[in-house]
Amino acid sequence: GQSLEQPSEVTAVEGAIVQINCTYQTSGFYGLSWYQQHDGGAPTFLSYNALDGLEETGRFSSFLSRSDSYGYLLLQELQMKDSASYFCAASMDSNYQLIWGAGTKLIIKP
Amino acid sequence: NAGVTQTPKFQVLKTGQSMTLQCAQDMNHEYMSWYRQDPGMGLRLIHYSVGAGITDQGEVPNGYNVSRSTTEDFPLRLLSAAPSQTSVYFCASSGGHEQFFGPGTRLTVL
């Protein structure tokens, strides 16, 4: 079957750096996306990796290794507003269909 | 530019009732999709469309119908509501790898 695995919960301290990992087992893999979702809200797009390597967007970076079927989201200089759930999602084909992980709840302590 | 809009925001149904969840986007995106999200889980794809007149099933299509008569609108119909369909429903549209989500509809089936 097709699945994405990510930790259910991660705790970090304000101002620190945190990494959220995602491993995937899929067929027809095109790329890996990351989304943020605050409680009661809708998912919002953070990043997309189609090629191996690191993509940086401000305080957030995302990494992909296709050979290891693995990616991660790196959040730097954590702020309390970063407390949310983070989802990895794999693109299955060129029609932008996504298979989603169950999400990682990021808890930030002052 | 409203993005993706969904109505209603909240709905309570009795078992066996039918209803339509509305979704519209004003970004001229070809790709639209419907997801459901259950507590502590990722999003599961119900149906999707790659353009007007074209729809296809996702992971969990049973009990739901869709149609796409225009680029802008993509309604989701629940044929005969069941308690297992209690969930939060998100509509999304995409013109590339970023998916834009509506605010969601919280549906409870009694």
Side-chain angles (χ1 to χ4, degrees):
Chain A
Q2 303 181 110
S3 65
L4 289 87
E5 299 289 331
Q6 51 182 129
S8 59
E9 190 176 289
V10 171
T11 301
V13 177
E14 191 177 14
I17 299 172
V18 72
Q19 178 174 312
I20 298 173
N21 298 322
C22 175
T23 57
Y24 59 88
Q25 281 189 315
T26 62
S27 57
F29 177 82
Y30 268 62
L32 192 70
S33 299
W34 289 91
Y35 285 78
Q36 179 191 60
Q37 185 180 32
H38 286 99
D39 284 348
T44 56
F45 175 81
L46 293 176
S47 68
Y48 175 75
N49 294 66
L51 303 176
D52 285 359
L54 192 68
E55 295 278 345
E56 297 181 66
T57 309
R59 295 188 295 115
F60 293 3
S61 303
S62 56
F63 173 83
L64 177 65
S65 168
R66 296 174 76 101
S67 59
D68 295 323
S69 298
Y70 164 76
Y72 66 72
L73 180 69
L74 191 73
L75 295 81
Q76 302 183 68
E77 301 173 17
L78 285 171
Q79 302 175 8
M80 296 305 291
K81 68 178 182 180
D82 298 329
S83 297
S85 292
Y86 293 84
F87 294 87
C88 57
S91 299
M92 306 311 302
D93 57 25
S94 59
N95 284 331
Y96 316 128
Q97 285 187 72
L98 294 177
I99 301 293
W100 294 71
T104 298
K105 186 175 179 67
L106 175 60
I107 298 169
I108 300 174
K109 296 185 174 179
Chain B
N1 193 341
V4 180
T5 58
Q6 289 183 239
T7 56
K9 284 191 167 59
F10 300 93
Q11 183 70 49
V12 178
L13 292 177
K14 294 181 180 177
T15 297
Q17 287 184 314
S18 62
M19 78 160 296
T20 299
L21 307 185
Q22 301 292 344
C23 175
Q25 53 97 3
D26 61 0
M27 296 173 281
N28 203 32
H29 288 161
E30 292 295 330
Y31 184 84
M32 295 186 74
S33 54
W34 275 102
Y35 294 95
R36 61 176 288 172
Q37 184 176 31
D38 299 305
M41 297 181 67
L43 281 73
R44 290 185 291 168
L45 183 64
I46 304 171
H47 286 284
Y48 67 96
S49 168
V50 299
I54 306 169
T55 64
D56 208 345
Q57 297 180 352
E59 285 179 84
V60 288
N62 292 342
Y64 308 95
N65 273 355
V66 292
S67 60
R68 185 96 178 270
S69 56
T70 67
T71 299
E72 294 77 21
D73 299 298
F74 190 43
L76 177 73
R77 295 184 192 84
L78 278 71
L79 309 172
S80 176
S84 61
Q85 294 179 304
T86 293
S87 189
V88 180
Y89 291 84
F90 288 103
C91 176
S93 75
S94 174
H97 293 292
E98 178 177 357
Q99 294 204 1
F100 296 85
F101 285 82
T105 295
R106 294 182 178 276
L107 176 68
T108 301
V109 182
L110 303 175

